[in-house]
């Protein structure tokens, strides 16, 4: 499974295939403009490769300078860009303009379209998708087609990573989300995602609803309050790891990467309480490392292992 961050061998099926957007985050302040690789699915793929997992990414970036920078960023960590990923004329951007008083305005220039890959003959162990890629046409149609084709062949994980400004009406977004949940094994969302999708439900009720739609595991992250992991048989609350917080950029994507790693390495225990505990603690440890330093810098395999060795077992049943 592990590739120790080295480029994935050509022709070999990766353990995890991530399908979703990679874009450039552009931040403009009175002092100048900086650009950073972004896009939730791309961040998850990057985090997986940093953890030593063989990872392929199907995305939609341009044959331009920003696309070159994104490809270098991803492949440098060991992510394999799948064929067709450089299909756009220009790379998508999310621009934040910070005024002198600290107020921010946001603008998105995002195009999302993919040609679904043929993965049915040699499916990966896990397919992950989410965020803009699961909602924005025309690419969202291809994402759904992949999930429909592979739902009985591998584990499918989904993080909606809600971006209201890009989703149309609430009713449309909710319909799309619930259709995809029915095709997935594991759904992870933040408390903000849950409250936007289901404003009249408590988090535990939202988790139960997601399970009723067909998911086997529902995970809701709650920032410094930890995370909730629920199956039809068990609900477990995992506290966040106490650590000095520099910023929270990339924490949710880092959590997702480590959750997928845990699903790959859990052995034969299925989703027993002890397995849920291990999944939650591993993901919480990864998020703690990420928030302890500036920017979206997820842990390496060695950093996560070290964190887990010194991390007290803080789990508690809800």
């Amino acid at each position: 499974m592990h590739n120790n961050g080295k480029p994935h061998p050509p022709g070999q099926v990766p353990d995890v295939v991530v399908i979703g957007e990679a874009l450039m985050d552009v931040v403009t302040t009175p002092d100048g403009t900086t650009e950073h690789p972004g896009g939730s699915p791309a961040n998850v793929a990057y985090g997986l490769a940093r953890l030593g997992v063989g990872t392929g990414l199907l995305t939609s970036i341009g044959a331009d300078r920003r696309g070159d920078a994104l490809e270098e960023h991803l492949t440098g960590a060991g992510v394999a860009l799948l064929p067709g990923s450089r299909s756009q004329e220009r790379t998508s951007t999310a621009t934040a303009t910070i005024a002198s008083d600290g107020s921010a305005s946001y603008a998105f220039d995002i195009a999302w379209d993919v040609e679904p890959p043929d993965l049915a003959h040699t499916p990966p162990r896990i397919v992950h998708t989410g965020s803009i890629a699961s909602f924005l046409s025309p690419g969202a149609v291809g994402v759904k087609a992949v999930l429909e084709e592979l739902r009985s062949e591998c584990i499918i994980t989904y993080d909606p990573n809600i971006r209201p400004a890009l989703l149309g009406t609430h009713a449309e977004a909710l319909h799309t989300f619930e259709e995809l949940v029915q095709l997935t094994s594991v759904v992870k969302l933040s408390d903000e995602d849950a409250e936007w999708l289901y404003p009249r439900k408590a988090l535990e009720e939202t988790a139960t609803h997601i399970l009723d739609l067909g998911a086997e595991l529902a995970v809701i992250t709650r920032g410094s309050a930890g995370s909730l992991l629920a199956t039809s048989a068990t609900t477990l609350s995992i506290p966040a790891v106490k650590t000095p917080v520099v910023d929270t950029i990339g924490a949710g994507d880092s959590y997702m990467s480590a959750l997928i790693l845990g699903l790959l390495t859990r052995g034969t225990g299925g989703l027993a309480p002890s397995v849920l505990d291990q999944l939650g603690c591993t993901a919480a440890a990864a998020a703690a490392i990420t928030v302890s330093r500036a920017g979206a810098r997820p842990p390496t395999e060695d950093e996560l292992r070290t964190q887990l060795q010194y991390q007290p077992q803080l789990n508690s049943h809800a």
Side-chain angles (χ1 to χ4, degrees):
M1 178 187 73
H2 297 288
N3 68 1
N4 297 316
K6 298 176 182 177
H8 194 71
Q12 181 178 332
V13 178
D15 285 307
V16 180
V17 168
V18 179
I19 305 175
E21 74 273 6
L23 51 82
M24 198 63 75
D25 286 324
V26 182
V27 181
T28 299
T29 70
D31 298 323
T33 298
T34 57
E35 298 191 2
H36 308 280
S40 175
N43 289 344
V44 171
Y46 180 80
L48 281 163
R50 294 261 294 174
L51 292 173
V53 176
T55 306
L57 174 65
L58 177 65
T59 190
S60 183
I61 58 179
D64 56 7
R65 174 183 58 81
R66 286 170 171 152
D68 291 342
L70 283 169
E71 182 170 4
E72 181 179 356
H73 168 73
L74 291 161
T75 59
V79 178
L81 276 190
L82 299 186
S85 288
R86 298 202 66 168
S87 58
Q88 299 291 330
E89 291 185 3
R90 67 181 187 277
T91 297
S92 297
T93 58
T95 301
T97 301
I98 313 299
S100 56
D101 64 358
S103 62
S105 60
Y106 299 89
F108 299 93
D109 180 11
I110 295 176
W112 171 244
D113 193 10
V114 290
E115 185 66 33
D118 182 10
L119 299 172
H121 296 299
T122 52
R125 294 173 63 190
I126 292 179
V127 169
H128 173 74
T129 193
S131 196
I132 298 165
S134 63
F135 293 97
L136 187 65
S137 294
V141 176
V143 170
K144 185 179 179 183
V146 172
L147 303 194
E148 288 174 332
E149 182 179 37
L150 295 179
R151 60 181 301 196
S152 62
E153 303 296 328
C154 61
I155 296 169
I156 295 175
T157 62
Y158 178 38
D159 176 3
N161 194 41
I162 296 295
R163 294 292 179 264
L166 299 171
L167 297 188
T169 69
H170 180 274
E172 290 169 337
L174 181 62
H175 177 73
T176 298
F177 170 74
E178 293 195 337
E179 278 196 328
L180 290 183
V181 168
Q182 295 173 47
L183 304 174
T184 62
S185 315
V186 178
V187 177
K188 174 259 173 190
L189 60 168
S190 69
D191 50 1
E192 291 181 348
D193 295 335
E195 289 159 5
W196 189 86
L197 287 163
Y198 301 105
R200 288 179 289 277
K201 291 184 184 292
L203 296 182
E204 292 79 4
E205 292 174 319
T206 293
T208 298
H209 181 66
I210 288 170
L211 297 173
D212 289 342
L213 289 170
E216 298 173 25
L217 172 62
V219 180
I220 301 178
T221 59
R222 303 177 292 188
S224 61
S227 55
L228 182 75
L229 288 79
T231 67
S232 59
T234 306
T235 297
L236 202 65
S237 180
I238 304 291
V241 178
K242 292 183 179 180
T243 188
V245 176
V246 175
D247 66 48
T248 60
I249 297 172
D253 296 328
S254 180
Y255 185 104
M256 187 74 238
S257 297
L259 181 66
I260 292 172
L261 172 66
L263 292 168
L264 286 169
T265 58
R266 60 182 160 161
T268 59
L271 292 172
S274 60
V275 175
L276 295 184
D277 178 76
Q278 184 178 18
L279 292 174
C281 289
T282 300
I289 294 170
T290 303
V291 303
S292 71
R293 52 200 188 192
R297 294 171 55 206
T300 64
E301 186 178 5
D302 287 342
E303 287 174 330
L304 181 58
R305 184 183 299 112
T306 299
Q307 173 72 32
L308 288 169
Q309 286 174 346
Y310 293 100
Q311 181 173 313
Q313 295 302 106
L314 296 173
N315 57 298
S316 62
H317 291 269

